[in-house]
Amino acid sequence: MKSLSISLLILFPLFGFSQFGNLGKALNKYVKEEVDELITEKNEEFETSTFNYAIAFLDKSESFENKQSGESLYKMAAFVNTDEEEQTDRDDAKDLYELGKFNYSKRHYKLSEVTLKEALLAFEVLDSMADPVYIKSLGLLGLLYSDMGRYEKAESYNDKALAAWREYHGEDSKGYAAEYLNKAVLIFNKGDYSEAERTIYEAQKLVKAAEGKESMPFAIVLNNQAILYQYMGRAEEALPILNQSLSIAGNKLREKSGTYLQLMTNKALLLQEMGDYEKARMTYKEAIDLQTSRLKLNRKSDPDFAHMLNNFASLYQLMGNDAKAEQLLRESLEIYKSKFGMKHPLVAGAQHDLGNLFRSMGVLDKAEILISSALETNKLRLGEQHSKTVQTMEDLALVKWKQGEMAVAEELYAQVMQQTMSFINNFFAPLSESEKTKYWEKLKPRFFNFYNFAFSFQEENPVLLDQTLNYRIATKGLLINSTTKIKRSIVESGDQQLIDLYNLWVDQKKALATYYNMPQADLEEQGINLAELETEANQTERKLSESSTAFSEAFVSAEKDYRDILPKLSDGEAAIEIIQFPVFENQLTTKHSYAAIILRKGAEPELIIMENGDDLEGKYYSSYKNLIRLKVSDDYSYGQYWAKIEEKLGGVDRIYLSADGVYNQISLNTLKTPEGTYLVQNKEIIHVGNIGDLLEEERGKGISKSAFLLGFPTYGSANISPLPGTGKEVNMVSKALSANGYQVRTFTANQATESAFKKVDSPQLIHVATHGYFMQDVPSKGSVFGVQMEYAKNNPLLRSGLLLAGASTDGVNDNTSFDENDNGILTAYEAMYLPLQNTELVVLSACETGTGDVKSGEGVYGLQRAFTVAGAKRLVMSLWKVDDTATQLLMSGFYDNWVNKGIEPTEAFRKSQITLMKTYPEPYYWGAFVMVQ
């Protein structure tokens, strides 16, 4: 994996420039040649700020002074003093600090360390620990140790500096604000991103109060916040923040400032990660050209220039120009080696990047040498639990796998995966769902890499298949499980303060749902800033995550083992986990395969690989849909989607299936066997989100018999066809439930409103009979079903929903009694915040309620996900447009089997499908609906 190297800015306070006096004279000859050309830049750039700042690299675990222009503040004329005036002991102590600072800028770490400690001692002898220079010496030692990867010592000095600023100068001082941001950077370098984000938020407040929001220090805070977001997978959030930083910096610094160029490089990296390669290339080139003109003949020894080359190389690699990427990486590595020696994190990072390039090219011998060296340095400098060390370890495991050294690869991967599960437990807890989503997207490729490795070697070592299944159980549906877990914990906590905070968050989300229906012009007219409202809701959600007892334990349980599932299975039962994964060929490709892992009582797991994943998702799926729609016999799909699995299921008649990818989009019951029967007639297939769910305790027992029924709405537009069968359906369900002791509330015609739906309070059953929709492709502007497309484009929860009373295709109804919160359209986004924690079953008797954006390992993002997050235990939903009359008969049979005859819901639904088959033999009529639990 190519690591991106983003510049992170570290602050330390500057209270003026001293003269060196006697010590300065001795240094005159030493530094004279270094400082003359920088006098002007120092005056122009740094007298406007009381902050001095260093550059840290995101993936290089390094913080050091930018050598360019005035950023290397240790090269300045004030350094050399020929004044004969006698200086004081305090002046001598200060000179020691300046010398330590100068050596730090030259990467002479040992000399800097010794001199700074002498400065500290000198001030302590003078009993001058309140002196700002003394405190700056503490802070600079912290930066120095951070550069060297000695984070415990760095943290110790950072803490001492913070305490001194607080005691002697107050928390409102500029020095305290600067040192606090350095604390955030240090936490970031240690790999604790959640804590780093909290600390950066606080630093932002401090710097804003001390320096103002148009100051260069505030630009630095914004830069660091953007970098952290990028590293957590939130590039789209990072880019506007970095643009703001660049805007401030552009007003404060000259165009050729090294700091400004670093910000430009950061922007190029963000554009690169977001896929805008051409803009990224142009931004890189502009920054490098400016840097080259500044450095003239010295660029070959400048680490910041190497940093730019390294990042530019990553773009060329993505664009397929491996030769150019190799050239740039070799050049940057040589600069780092000449400047820092072999055992430095920057050198390790460059070796890692070049090694990964060779790995992707299949040049494994060169890759192994470089990545091994990088891993050795990272273990030494960062420790074995640092994210960069783990990434390097994984890449070496991949090389060893491809070299055929499977035992070594397995040993490395054991450490990698164990630490990755620890990352999830450590970092997920305080994140909001959107933040978790982006962080999980960064981690998922590691699991895909491991699955490829395990599947290729599982016959020789079956333990790898065991590990794959356990990792899958632990992480499949991770995002939705985390959301439902925290919601359930809050609702059941009895903590009124926590519940109030949760209600505030729900209210904020409901407000956003309303505003998503409004055009931008209306929002501007009313002074509504959606971005700010989204940020507020996100911060509230973070507070909930931090406060909820759901996260007092491990986020993913290491105790869940597939072996514990086996006793839950009876003879004649099997559990099947489907895994969609990208194929690994020196790196992950865009090609997909599928794995089916079958569990049976008393047997070892069995693996089936279907290598033609692209065909299953492409031409075969298109064929399946068309044959269903045209009501033509499908004698082909069974062989593609099920035949291989069936070979391993002799004697099995009940299956617990955890679907993935295209298996979420087909109704397995409709697959026609070679004997002419349908799968629904031969097997009872129970859809579960994760086979690990078989280990969960049963929910919903003992709750009151209550039902909410809604159907046959009076639509607000003639463009929406009425569904008279849904009225009959709701009446039938109402009679069946009432006769069996249910308290039933029924809403039809003009009463079947969105506001009525939003007033539900966790009934045992919800049955909705109306039109549903999912918009696969949407225009970039305008309104569809009342939702502004500019908000819905990247959010499937805004592109799916139910049409209720008053609904129209443009979201504008003719009934003036409907307000913005009741436009007749319940989106999945709105449904997600319904209180359904005790709801046993939601029946969505409507078209396409089971469709949405399918995400590997996370299911379907649409109504299915929304009602699951809301708390529903089981859902019945459809995969295609359904026939009104056939659906009425299907539901009638289901409720008769379930409520009147007492048959378990999944079997009751299956029997109703088989019965309907006699009247409507084509799967189009009886096979659209699936039940998921």
Side-chain angles (χ1 to χ4, degrees):
M1 181 182 293
K2 177 69 180 75
S3 60
L4 297 182
S5 193
I6 294 187
S7 298
L8 191 65
L9 300 176
I10 297 181
L11 305 182
F12 59 89
L14 176 67
F15 281 79
F17 304 104
S18 70
Q19 293 186 330
F20 257 77
N22 297 332
L23 183 58
K25 296 175 189 177
L27 290 169
N28 191 357
K29 184 176 181 181
Y30 178 46
V31 301
K32 179 65 175 173
E33 294 179 0
E34 299 279 351
V35 302
D36 289 344
E37 64 185 84
L38 295 166
I39 298 174
T40 303
E41 291 184 65
K42 170 259 177 182
N43 290 332
E44 288 179 354
E45 296 190 26
F46 290 95
E47 288 183 349
T48 59
S49 172
T50 58
F51 279 79
N52 191 357
Y53 37 90
I55 304 296
F57 290 134
L58 182 69
D59 280 309
K60 307 303 187 232
S61 298
E62 174 65 30
S63 59
F64 58 82
E65 282 299 315
N66 187 327
K67 177 173 172 289
Q68 283 61 270
S69 67
E71 288 88 355
S72 186
L73 286 158
Y74 321 114
K75 302 176 180 179
M76 48 193 148
F79 218 35
V80 183
N81 179 27
T82 57
D83 194 336
E84 296 293 337
E85 180 182 345
E86 195 71 27
Q87 58 174 51
T88 65
D89 291 340
R90 193 266 180 187
D91 292 333
D92 285 335
K94 189 175 182 180
D95 289 347
L96 287 168
Y97 162 72
E98 296 289 354
L99 181 57
K101 192 166 65 166
F102 176 77
N103 279 320
Y104 175 72
S105 75
K106 300 294 291 182
R107 293 28 161 206
H108 299 155
Y109 290 147
K110 188 61 180 176
L111 285 174
S112 178
E113 179 184 16
V114 170
T115 312
L116 288 171
K117 286 186 174 181
E118 289 178 352
L120 290 176
L121 180 60
F123 279 107
E124 288 165 4
V125 168
L126 295 170
D127 196 23
S128 298
M129 281 76 79
D131 193 303
V133 179
Y134 174 81
I135 306 174
K136 287 192 289 181
S137 300
L138 291 171
L140 187 54
L141 271 168
L143 294 180
L144 184 150
Y145 288 128
S146 180
D147 289 358
M148 300 170 72
R150 299 163 65 181
Y151 293 132
E152 288 186 5
K153 291 183 75 67
E155 189 171 23
S156 172
Y157 279 96
N158 176 256
D159 287 344
K160 290 176 183 178
L162 276 172
W165 286 120
R166 183 188 304 112
E167 180 179 356
Y168 298 117
H169 302 279
E171 293 188 1
D172 58 348
S173 66
K174 296 176 180 179
Y176 183 83
E179 198 63 45
Y180 203 90
L181 182 59
N182 289 351
K183 176 182 178 180
V185 174
L186 177 59
I187 294 170
F188 168 79
N189 281 341
K190 291 171 64 179
D192 190 344
Y193 309 126
S194 298
E195 182 62 26
E197 185 173 9
R198 284 194 291 268
T199 311
I200 280 180
Y201 281 151
E202 186 61 30
Q204 188 178 80
K205 297 176 186 176
L206 292 168
V207 173
K208 184 177 180 180
E211 291 282 5
K213 63 180 182 180
E214 297 299 324
S215 65
M216 191 59 217
F218 193 72
I220 292 171
V221 179
L222 293 174
N223 173 80
N224 290 355
Q225 183 182 10
I227 289 166
L228 179 62
Y229 282 178
Q230 186 276 343
Y231 200 82
M232 297 174 74
R234 294 151 62 185
E236 290 186 357
E237 292 178 66
L239 187 58
I241 296 173
L242 187 55
N243 280 334
Q244 184 183 353
S245 175
L246 271 165
S247 177
I248 296 171
N251 294 328
K252 298 294 180 182
L253 303 178
R254 294 182 303 105
E255 187 182 56
K256 291 185 178 181
S257 157
T259 299
Y260 188 80
L261 295 181
Q262 291 291 354
L263 297 180
M264 286 181 62
T265 306
N266 287 349
K267 181 177 179 178
L269 277 166
L270 292 179
L271 291 167
Q272 173 180 322
E273 181 156 314
M274 295 168 68
D276 196 340
Y277 294 163
E278 183 55 28
K279 283 186 180 178
R281 187 190 67 80
M282 292 172 63
T283 307
Y284 276 132
K285 188 175 185 308
E286 181 183 357
I288 286 179
D289 288 346
L290 288 171
Q291 187 84 322
T292 301
S293 69
R294 296 177 74 254
L295 297 176
K296 301 181 178 62
L297 300 178
N298 296 323
R299 75 179 199 175
K300 295 295 184 183
S301 63
D302 186 80
D304 292 334
F305 187 73
H307 166 63
M308 289 184 175
L309 294 177
N310 209 58
N311 291 330
F312 206 2
S314 69
L315 178 62
Y316 276 117
Q317 185 177 359
L318 286 172
M319 296 172 70
N321 191 339
D322 290 344
K324 185 65 175 178
E326 180 182 349
Q327 173 195 332
L328 295 176
L329 286 172
R330 285 185 179 279
E331 185 177 351
S332 68
L333 177 58
E334 289 306 311
I335 294 173
Y336 288 139
K337 285 164 61 176
S338 66
K339 200 67 184 176
F340 303 116
M342 288 299 298
K343 297 301 179 183
H344 193 280
L346 275 175
V347 175
Q351 289 176 322
H352 184 199
D353 292 339
L354 184 56
N356 267 335
L357 176 63
F358 284 132
R359 177 174 63 79
S360 70
M361 295 165 61
V363 187
L364 298 179
D365 54 343
K366 292 183 179 180
E368 190 269 338
I369 293 170
L370 287 162
I371 297 175
S372 294
S373 178
L375 179 59
E376 181 183 345
T377 299
N378 282 341
K379 284 182 177 180
L380 176 67
R381 297 294 191 184
L382 308 177
E384 297 200 1
Q385 297 181 343
H386 197 282
S387 61
K388 296 180 181 67
T389 305
V390 175
Q391 182 61 65
T392 313
M393 194 178 297
E394 180 193 5
D395 290 325
L396 183 59
L398 294 174
V399 171
K400 293 295 185 181
W401 165 27
K402 290 303 179 180
Q403 288 179 323
E405 298 183 41
M406 305 303 287
V408 178
E410 183 182 354
E411 182 180 352
L412 289 167
Y413 249 127
Q415 300 175 66
V416 168
M417 300 308 291
Q418 179 183 6
Q419 190 57 45
T420 301
M421 299 303 283
S422 177
F423 289 159
I424 294 173
N425 281 326
N426 290 335
F427 301 147
F428 263 50
L431 300 179
S432 68
E433 185 182 16
S434 64
E435 293 166 345
K436 287 186 180 81
T437 299
K438 290 164 185 173
Y439 186 65
W440 178 233
E441 288 300 317
K442 300 280 280 191
L443 286 182
K444 267 203 305 189
R446 177 165 297 157
F447 288 87
F448 289 144
N449 285 336
F450 179 77
Y451 295 160
N452 276 275
F453 166 67
F455 293 152
S456 72
F457 194 51
Q458 61 88 28
E459 289 186 5
E460 293 85 349
N461 186 358
V463 172
L464 290 173
L465 187 58
D466 296 348
Q467 292 172 352
T468 295
L469 199 47
N470 284 338
Y471 290 135
R472 182 66 168 183
I473 290 170
T475 61
K476 186 178 183 184
L478 179 65
L479 300 175
I480 195 169
N481 290 338
S482 69
T483 303
T484 54
K485 180 179 180 182
I486 189 172
K487 179 177 179 178
R488 195 180 312 150
S489 170
I490 291 167
V491 171
E492 298 173 358
S493 69
D495 183 337
Q496 193 57 49
Q497 186 175 0
L498 188 61
I499 293 172
D500 289 344
L501 188 62
Y502 173 75
N503 290 334
L504 169 64
W505 173 67
V506 171
D507 185 66
Q508 290 171 330
K509 293 299 233 182
K510 288 179 177 178
L512 281 170
T514 299
Y515 297 141
Y516 287 140
N517 294 329
M518 298 172 60
Q520 183 62 35
D522 290 355
L523 294 174
E524 292 175 358
E525 182 179 346
Q526 297 180 40
I528 297 169
N529 187 320
L530 267 182
E532 288 184 1
L533 294 177
E534 288 171 336
T535 299
E536 289 174 6
N538 204 45
Q539 290 174 346
T540 302
E541 189 176 355
R542 287 175 59 87
K543 291 178 184 177
L544 286 170
S545 296
E546 292 169 356
S547 304
S548 172
T549 55
F551 292 93
S552 60
E553 301 174 353
F555 199 83
V556 291
S557 175
E559 298 175 0
K560 278 190 177 182
D561 192 302
Y562 82 88
R563 295 176 185 84
D564 297 329
I565 296 173
L566 301 180
K568 304 281 186 180
L569 300 173
S570 302
D571 294 336
E573 293 184 340
I576 302 177
E577 183 67 51
I578 304 288
I579 303 176
Q580 176 206 46
F581 62 96
V583 176
F584 184 91
E585 296 174 355
N586 292 325
Q587 58 186 344
L588 293 176
T589 67
T590 57
K591 295 186 293 186
H592 284 98
S593 290
Y594 280 79
I597 306 177
I598 301 174
L599 293 182
R600 299 180 66 176
K601 188 176 183 178
E604 293 297 318
E606 293 190 85
L607 174 67
I608 299 166
I609 297 293
M610 291 162 280
E611 296 180 350
N612 62 335
D614 291 342
D615 289 338
L616 295 177
E617 296 166 356
K619 62 182 182 180
Y620 298 142
Y621 177 58
S622 294
S623 172
Y624 168 82
K625 287 194 303 179
N626 288 332
L627 293 173
I628 288 283
R629 179 177 55 84
L630 296 171
K631 306 176 187 65
V632 175
S633 178
D634 181 358
D635 300 318
Y636 195 67
S637 294
Y638 178 91
Q640 297 301 323
Y641 292 102
W642 195 255
K644 278 189 174 183
I645 297 174
E646 183 63 38
E647 292 175 3
K648 306 290 184 180
L649 296 178
V652 171
D653 52 28
R654 173 179 282 188
I655 298 165
Y656 297 93
L657 182 86
S658 173
D660 199 13
V662 72
Y663 282 83
N664 284 302
Q665 299 172 284
I666 62 173
S667 175
L668 291 174
N669 282 341
T670 65
L671 298 182
K672 190 175 182 180
T673 71
E675 293 74 30
T677 59
Y678 290 98
L679 201 54
V680 68
Q681 297 171 283
N682 304 330
K683 310 283 186 186
E684 179 186 0
I685 299 177
I686 301 173
H687 290 269
V688 295
N690 182 327
I691 60 172
D693 294 345
L694 298 177
L695 300 173
E696 297 292 334
E697 294 183 7
E698 192 77 6
R699 286 198 300 117
K701 295 293 185 180
I703 58 179
S704 61
K705 288 185 173 183
S706 59
F708 172 89
L709 312 181
L710 183 150
F712 192 40
T714 302
Y715 302 120
S717 171
N719 295 327
I720 303 176
S721 59
L723 298 171
T726 62
K728 298 176 183 178
E729 180 181 323
V730 168
N731 288 332
M732 174 276 300
V733 174
S734 178
K735 289 178 182 179
L737 294 173
S738 297
N740 284 275
Y742 278 79
Q743 295 180 346
V744 180
R745 300 172 65 215
T746 304
F747 299 84
T748 60
N750 288 329
Q751 303 301 312
T753 63
E754 181 184 357
S755 60
F757 206 147
K758 289 180 176 179
K759 292 175 183 176
V760 298
D761 187 14
S762 203
Q764 184 182 15
L765 169 70
I766 293 176
H767 185 104
V768 183
T770 183
H771 282 294
Y773 68 90
F774 174 72
M775 296 178 286
Q776 187 71 49
D777 299 309
V778 298
S780 58
K781 293 184 179 181
S783 170
V784 180
F785 292 126
V787 177
Q788 298 300 311
M789 289 300 97
E790 58 189 298
Y791 310 127
K793 192 170 184 63
N794 296 316
N795 190 343
L797 298 176
L798 291 172
R799 289 187 271 117
S800 54
L802 300 168
L803 304 187
L804 306 176
S808 65
T809 54
D810 60 4
V812 179
N813 57 66
D814 299 327
N815 190 333
T816 56
S817 68
F818 294 103
D819 58 25
E820 290 290 351
N821 198 40
D822 188 5
N823 61 1
I825 297 161
L826 182 77
T827 65
Y829 183 92
E830 294 170 302
M832 191 162 54
Y833 303 105
L834 295 173
L836 306 182
Q837 58 270 16
N838 291 319
T839 299
E840 182 80 9
L841 174 65
V842 173
V843 179
L844 301 177
S845 182
C847 301
E848 301 180 307
T849 52
T851 56
D853 282 358
V854 179
K855 299 192 177 184
S856 178
E858 282 296 325
V860 181
Y861 276 66
L863 285 166
Q864 176 181 346
R865 183 178 185 84
F867 280 97
T868 302
V869 170
K873 179 182 176 183
R874 286 188 179 93
L875 287 91
V876 172
M877 55 203 176
S878 63
L879 297 176
W880 55 77
K881 294 183 184 299
V882 294
D883 179 82
D884 193 20
T885 303
T887 299
Q888 176 195 339
L889 293 173
L890 176 68
M891 294 302 169
S892 177
F894 164 60
Y895 281 99
D896 181 54
N897 291 332
W898 177 36
V899 179
N900 294 331
K901 297 178 181 177
I903 300 175
E904 194 273 336
T906 53
E907 180 61 12
F909 196 79
R910 173 175 174 255
K911 284 182 177 295
S912 181
Q913 287 183 311
I914 294 173
T915 299
L916 185 62
M917 195 186 300
K918 298 174 184 177
T919 306
Y920 293 95
E922 293 86 1
Y924 170 83
Y925 293 100
W926 55 262
F929 287 93
V930 293
M931 180 179 284
V932 178
Q933 64 182 40

